[in-house]
Amino acid sequence: ILDVHFPLCLYKKLLGQSVGIKDLGQMQPEVARSLKKLLDWEGPGSVEDVFCATFTIDHQAFGEVQTYELMPGGADIAVTEENRHKYVDLYVDFLLNESIRTQFNAFKRGFLLLCDGPVLRLFRPQELEVLVTGTPHLDFKALEENSRYEGNYTKDSQVVKWLWQVVSEFSLEEKQKFLKFFSGSDRSPIGGLSKLRFLVQRAGPDTNRLPTSHTCFN
C-alpha cells in the first residue's frame, strides 16, 4: 500500500481504457469548463469570432511555454461550429496522452513489472486505485476482533483492554499514526483492517520500555 494520490485517469490508462474531457475535468477543471463552453456555444457570435482559436495548444514544459499544432497545419485552421468537436478531442488527447506519452510509458512499464498478470484486467480503475493506495476508512473494531496475542497476553488482559480503550479514543489522525506505527502504512488494505495480521505480545519481563513494533511493507 502506497501513500500516493494519482488521478483516476492514470488507472484508466494503465488498464488500457480511453480517457476524455470528463477525466480532464478531475485534474484541470478550468480547462475542461472552457472546452465544454466552446462545445455548447450557440451565440451571440460565431465560435470563430468569439473564441478566436486555432488547432494549436500552448503547453508549459520545464518552465517554458511552447505552442504545438494539434494537427498538420493547425496554426492556420480556425475552430468553427463544424470542427469544434474534433478540436476538443485533439486538445484533450494532447493533454492526457501525447504530451506525457514518454513519461507515462516509462511509468507503465515499471508498474506492470510489479503488478502485471491476467487478473489485472478484471479490475475497474476505482478498484485498482484501492489496490495501490488502500482505503482511508479505518474500522479498528474489526482490527481488534481479529487480533492475536502471545506472551501470556489474551484479549482479557488488563494491558490489552487499556490498549483498545486508548485506541478507541484516538482521533482519525491519531488512528492513522497508530496504524502506520505497527503496519508501515496509514491506509487500510483491501478488505479492511480485519485483513491485517496484528499480533500483540509481551517483550520479555515487565519494563519501563516504550512499545515497539515490527513491520513489513504492505
Side-chain angles (χ1 to χ4, degrees), residues 25-42:
Q26 295 178 346
M27 298 178 293
Q28 300 185 39
E30 291 185 3
V31 174
R33 283 196 295 268
S34 296
L35 294 175
K36 289 179 180 179
K37 184 177 180 179
L38 185 150
L39 290 175
D40 297 336
W41 186 260
E42 296 182 354

Side-chain angles (χ1 to χ4, degrees), residues 113-126:
L113 185 65
L114 297 175
C115 302
D116 197 15
V119 71
L120 186 65
R121 304 296 179 263
L122 301 178
F123 285 99
R124 295 181 300 153
Q126 296 85 348

Side-chain angles (χ1 to χ4, degrees), residues 24-85:
L24 180 63
Q26 295 178 346
M27 298 178 293
Q28 300 185 39
E30 291 185 3
V31 174
R33 283 196 295 268
S34 296
L35 294 175
K36 289 179 180 179
K37 184 177 180 179
L38 185 150
L39 290 175
D40 297 336
W41 186 260
E42 296 182 354
S46 66
V47 168
E48 183 176 0
D49 292 337
V50 173
F51 289 88
C52 301
T54 59
F55 276 69
T56 60
I57 182 173
D58 293 330
H59 184 66
Q60 181 172 329
F62 304 106
E64 295 184 0
V65 177
Q66 297 181 343
T67 299
Y68 298 88
E69 291 188 331
L70 297 175
M71 59 186 299
D76 299 319
I77 303 176
V79 178
T80 65
E81 281 81 359
E82 290 74 24
N83 62 20
R84 57 182 168 181
H85 285 277

